[in-house]
Amino acid sequence: MSGDHVSVAKALYQLDFYLEQIDAPFDIYDLYEEAYRELRGKYYDESWLDHLDDHPHVRESLDENFTLQTIVDALLRTGHEPVVRALMRSFRREQISVTQRFIDGASRQKGRP
């Protein structure tokens, strides 16, 4: 993985963590599907999301300080506006109010309290 691919993977990994923390009824798989299934048709593939934490830089991204804004910025910068749109639609649909909270991932591991 290199450059933008790492940035996208880190942003999605952080977003997955964020959604877990707010107990969202949807996850990155739902967002990715909403964003790309129709657009990519028979070429749609989300299986790479299963391997986000295979890369050490991605796993370590939870040790970085991040907010929903830094996640969204990374997705927009790397051309993943459809995922951001799907996220905003999901927030509206589920009536989740978005507040900027600083998330300090230091010493946290994904999936652990």
Side-chain angles (χ1 to χ4, degrees), residues 27-91:
D27 59 20
I28 60 171
Y29 292 91
D30 299 319
L31 298 174
Y32 195 81
E33 181 175 6
E34 184 178 333
Y36 293 120
R37 180 170 292 283
E38 186 176 324
L39 183 66
R40 294 185 176 163
K42 68 179 185 174
Y43 300 106
Y44 172 79
D45 181 15
E46 66 183 23
S47 63
W48 71 277
L49 296 174
D50 294 334
H51 305 283
L52 289 176
D53 62 357
D54 289 350
H55 193 282
H57 292 305
V58 174
R59 276 193 316 272
E60 293 166 2
S61 71
L62 293 186
D63 293 335
E64 299 172 4
N65 297 323
F66 60 92
T67 65
L68 184 57
Q69 185 63 51
T70 62
I71 294 167
V72 166
D73 288 346
L75 291 171
L76 292 175
R77 186 178 61 255
T78 56
H80 289 276
E81 184 177 335
V83 174
V84 174
R85 283 194 211 137
L87 176 64
M88 295 301 113
R89 281 192 300 271
S90 295
F91 279 159

Side-chain angles (χ1 to χ4, degrees), residues 97-112:
S97 104
V98 178
T99 58
Q100 284 301 323
R101 288 194 324 203
F102 181 75
I103 296 181
D104 181 6
S107 75
R108 292 192 188 131
Q109 290 185 2
K110 194 171 171 336
R112 291 187 153 175

Side-chain angles (χ1 to χ4, degrees), residues 16-32:
D16 193 44
F17 177 82
Y18 180 86
L19 294 173
E20 285 177 11
Q21 298 308 301
I22 65 167
D23 292 322
F26 55 90
D27 59 20
I28 60 171
Y29 292 91
D30 299 319
L31 298 174
Y32 195 81

